[in-house]
Amino acid sequence: DIVMTQSPDSLAVSLGERATINCKSSQSVLSSSDSKNSLAWYQQKPGQPPKLLIYWASTRESGVPDRFSGSGSGTDFTLTISSLQAEDVAVYYCQQYYTTPNTFGQGTKLEIK
Amino acid sequence: EVHLVESGGGLVQPGGSLRLSCATSGFTFSNYAMSWVRQAPGKGLEWVSSVFGSGSNTYYADSVKGRFTISRDNSKNTLYLQMNSLRAEDTALYYCAKEGAAGGLGYFQNWGQGTLVTVSS
């Protein structure tokens, strides 16, 4: 199974500042056939189901604010929130869907400093 | 608009069974693989099982293989999870999730609100 490891486990950022969450996979999730990285990011607020933010490592889901961006390739990925808003307080998860079982990172809790 | 509504959760004794359902609307159900993802209290997300649109191909996490069975009724736009031989470690909020792209397994574009399964004596 591919193990997904996120860092840090928790993060406190001031409003308006940049937040960066990292995700590392134990093996590459880059497909040689189409050069796509099978990596998604989700946001989960308390008491709510996860919400898809990013897929194919860098494609923003419809309706997601453009302050959210994804980058990386192979085994190392990053979710960046360019200017933190109060409503971004949540737990963020990465997920690989390159192979079954698809697996999630342990989550990163983002708070306001 | 896509809607996913889970039901069937509850309190069950160890060794017992439950059947979860996920009623869907707002998309062509048979075109999309569907999955169950669970979240133990205060913990992260764990993929449980997936089924292709036709129902012909199913996949399970090792932790539930041989005990859980995923199925779907495309005439009723409904996804199911039959859970047998339940254990305390199966206690979780179970989410129904729709794949983002028609035809395959991938990222989860839509999620239900979840149904809580508690396994305890």
Side-chain angles (χ1 to χ4, degrees), chain A residues 32-110:
Chain A
S32 56
S33 60
D34 59 10
S35 298
K36 285 185 173 182
N37 289 282
S38 299
L39 190 285
W41 289 97
Y42 301 87
Q43 175 193 64
Q44 187 176 32
K45 297 181 180 180
Q48 296 185 20
K51 173 188 175 183
L52 176 67
L53 296 176
I54 303 284
Y55 55 97
W56 299 127
S58 60
T59 302
R60 196 180 304 115
E61 170 69 340
S62 175
V64 173
D66 61 7
R67 63 180 180 273
F68 291 91
S69 64
S71 63
S73 185
T75 61
D76 292 279
F77 301 90
T78 300
L79 174 69
T80 301
I81 307 172
S82 60
S83 176
L84 189 71
Q85 305 298 304
E87 61 265 32
D88 300 335
V89 169
V91 178
Y92 292 84
Y93 296 93
C94 61
Q95 175 221 358
Q96 68 79 20
Y97 49 95
Y98 181 77
T99 187
T100 302
N102 67 62
T103 44
F104 293 90
Q106 79 277 17
T108 295
K109 186 174 184 179
L110 177 59

Side-chain angles (χ1 to χ4, degrees), chain A residues 1 39-40 42 44 47-52 54-56 61 93 95-97 100-107, chain B residues 35 37 39 43-47 50 59-62 95 99-101 105-114:
Chain A
D1 299 0
L39 190 285
Y42 301 87
Q44 187 176 32
Q48 296 185 20
K51 173 188 175 183
L52 176 67
I54 303 284
Y55 55 97
W56 299 127
E61 170 69 340
Y93 296 93
Q95 175 221 358
Q96 68 79 20
Y97 49 95
T100 302
N102 67 62
T103 44
F104 293 90
Q106 79 277 17
Chain B
S35 298
V37 178
Q39 187 168 35
K43 302 297 184 182
L45 301 169
E46 180 190 15
W47 169 77
S50 298
Y59 304 84
Y60 298 93
D62 285 346
Y95 293 107
E99 296 290 337
L105 297 180
Y107 54 90
F108 304 122
Q109 187 173 42
N110 304 93
W111 299 66
Q113 291 296 314

Side-chain angles (χ1 to χ4, degrees), chain B residues 34-110:
Chain B
M34 296 292 295
S35 298
W36 291 97
V37 178
R38 68 185 181 184
Q39 187 168 35
K43 302 297 184 182
L45 301 169
E46 180 190 15
W47 169 77
V48 173
S49 182
S50 298
V51 59
F52 272 107
S54 65
S56 57
N57 295 81
T58 58
Y59 304 84
Y60 298 93
D62 285 346
S63 58
V64 307
K65 201 172 295 182
R67 300 188 298 122
F68 289 11
T69 302
I70 192 171
S71 63
R72 61 193 297 158
D73 185 335
N74 287 347
S75 69
K76 295 183 178 179
N77 295 335
T78 302
L79 175 72
Y80 303 100
L81 185 68
Q82 178 66 45
M83 303 186 297
N84 298 331
S85 303
L86 283 161
R87 306 166 179 168
E89 55 264 35
D90 296 319
T91 293
L93 188 61
Y94 284 73
Y95 293 107
C96 164
K98 169 188 164 292
E99 296 290 337
L105 297 180
Y107 54 90
F108 304 122
Q109 187 173 42
N110 304 93

